[in-house]
Amino acid sequence: MTRPTSRDVATAAGVSQATVSLVLGDKWPGRVSERTATHVRETATRLGYRPNLAARNLRLGTTRTALLVVPALTNEFFARVYTGAARVAAEHDFGVVLYPSPDGTGPARDPFASARAALDGVIASSMAADALDAIGGATLPLVMLDSDPTAGTAAAHVNLAMADGMRQITEHLLPLGHRRFLHLASAIDSWTFDTRAEALRALLGPGTELRTVRAPLTVDGARTAMETALATPQDRPTAVVCDDDILAAGACKAARRLGLRIPEDLSVTGFDDLALATAVEPELTTVHLPAERVGEQGMAALLATLEGTTWNAPDIPVRLVVRDSTGPAPAPQP
C-alpha cells in the first residue's frame, strides 16, 4: 500500500487540501470550524496519514536536527548526556544525531557530505572540540558543554559547578585529618580537568602537601600510574583525589596490589558518580554530576539560540556522595 497523502485525507474528508493543511498544521482557529477540524483529524488518523517531514523541512529551510559531539559513548557520562538532550529535543520535534570520536578524544570522520545541509546546530563537549573542525562546525550555531565560557565563539555554554565539587571534597577530607594529598589527574588536556586541578590547588592551603600524577583515562592506566606513585612508603599520601571514577577505580586496584587498605591506609575520591562507583569495593566517595541535566540544558540552550534568544543560566550544581572509600587519615608512622 502506498503512503496516504494530504490529498487522500482531503478527498476522504470531503474538504479542500488547503483545509487539511490548515488543520494538520494547527493553523485552523478562526479559519476553519472546530467541527471540520475534528473531522479532518479523525479522517487523517483513520487513514494512517503521517506528514512528510522531509518535505516540510525542505520548505522551511530547516532539518530540526541537532548534532551532539562527544568523546565516546563507552563512557556512561556521555550516554546520559545524550539521554537528556534527546528528551528535550523530542519535546520540540527535534532529532539528535550522535557523533562520537573513535579514539575517545580526537576528531572523527565527517558523517555528512555537508553538515550545513544536514543540521540546524551542534552541541559539543569540550573534550571533543577538535571534532568540530571535521564537520565544519564553525558555520553552525554551537553550544559548548563543560568548557571555558570565556573562550571560543560558541553561542552558549552549559557548565557544571566543577570547582564547587572540589570544594565539597576538600571540606570532607580536611576535617578527617588529611594533609598529604595526591591528585590523580586525567592526561586529557581539557578545560574541565584544568578547572578541577586549579580548584584543588586553591583549596588546599598552608599545612597541606599536594602532588599531582597524570594518567590515561582508563582503569589500567590509572593503576599503573598509582603503583609507581605509592611505591615509596615515606612519600605516600593519605588521600587520593581523582578526576574521574574510572581513575579512582584504578587507584583502588593499585592500593590493593600494594597491600594498602581503603580507607584505613588511604582514602580515595572520584568524580562523576558512574555506576562503577558502587561496583567497586569499598564503594566510592565521589562527586555526583547530573549528566542528563547537562544534556537537557545543552539542547534547551541550542533551541534558545535558534530562536534568537540569549542563553543565560548558572552552572549546574553538583553534590558529594560520601561512601566507604574515605575515612580518617592514618596516624603518622614513627
Side-chain angles (χ1 to χ4, degrees):
M1 296 179 62
T2 59
R3 178 175 174 171
T5 66
S6 60
R7 179 173 294 179
D8 296 327
V9 175
T11 300
V15 299
S16 68
Q17 237 182 307
T19 298
V20 171
S21 296
L22 288 172
V23 172
L24 299 184
D26 204 26
K27 297 178 181 179
W28 63 269
R31 305 167 77 176
V32 175
S33 70
E34 186 170 349
R35 179 179 178 181
T36 298
T38 300
H39 176 56
V40 169
R41 285 194 296 266
E42 289 176 348
T43 301
T45 299
R46 176 170 54 82
L47 294 179
Y49 170 78
R50 289 179 298 158
N52 187 331
L53 295 180
R56 185 198 68 178
N57 292 337
L58 183 62
R59 291 195 306 272
L60 298 176
T62 177
T63 63
R64 302 193 74 77
T65 302
L67 185 70
L68 176 61
V69 184
V70 298
L73 287 181
T74 52
N75 187 312
E76 174 193 335
F77 178 85
F78 295 109
R80 284 160 38 198
V81 169
Y82 167 77
T83 299
R87 180 186 301 121
V88 172
E91 293 171 356
H92 293 83
D93 195 25
F94 254 75
V96 177
V97 177
L98 271 170
Y99 185 78
S101 171
D103 66 0
T105 57
R109 284 168 35 182
D110 185 359
F112 305 102
S114 169
R116 166 59 75 179
L119 302 168
D120 287 332
V122 177
I123 306 168
S125 160
S126 64
M127 287 191 288
D130 289 344
L132 298 177
D133 295 336
I135 61 169
T139 64
L140 292 165
L142 172 65
V143 173
M144 289 299 298
L145 309 178
D146 203 16
S147 63
D148 186 352
T150 66
T153 58
H157 291 264
V158 173
N159 284 330
L160 290 151
M162 293 300 188
D164 188 63
M166 276 300 183
R167 178 193 61 78
Q168 293 178 53
I169 288 175
T170 57
E171 290 185 356
H172 169 63
L173 293 174
L174 288 171
L176 292 173
H178 294 281
R179 295 297 181 268
R180 298 196 311 276
F181 293 83
L182 188 148
H183 179 204
L184 184 55
S186 169
I188 296 173
D189 184 17
S190 105
W191 176 86
T192 185
F193 292 129
D194 289 345
T195 297
R196 299 173 210 196
E198 292 169 6
L200 182 59
R201 284 194 298 268
L203 289 160
L204 295 179
T208 63
E209 300 174 11
L210 176 62
R211 183 159 53 113
T212 299
V213 172
R214 293 171 70 87
L217 197 53
T218 64
V219 172
D220 286 343
R223 176 187 55 76
T224 300
M226 285 304 301
E227 284 179 353
T228 301
L230 298 174
T232 307
Q234 58 267 31
D235 294 333
R236 281 175 184 163
T238 63
V240 179
V241 178
C242 303
D243 271 348
D244 183 276
D245 290 348
I246 296 171
L247 296 177
C252 291
K253 289 189 71 172
R256 284 194 297 272
R257 290 193 179 197
L258 293 169
L260 299 175
R261 299 167 301 164
I262 298 174
E264 292 84 358
D265 301 318
L266 186 71
S267 287
V268 178
T269 66
F271 243 89
D272 277 356
D273 198 20
L274 305 176
L276 177 65
T278 55
V280 298
E281 186 63 41
E283 294 187 357
L284 190 63
T285 294
T286 186
V287 175
H288 176 77
L289 305 182
E292 289 191 23
R293 184 63 179 150
V294 173
E296 290 170 354
Q297 285 208 7
M299 190 66 215
L302 180 59
L303 291 170
T305 298
L306 293 173
E307 292 173 358
T309 303
T310 301
W311 172 265
N312 288 306
D315 289 351
I316 300 171
V318 303
R319 62 181 174 86
L320 181 68
V321 180
V322 177
R323 298 192 180 99
D324 294 334
S325 68
T326 51
Q333 296 296 317

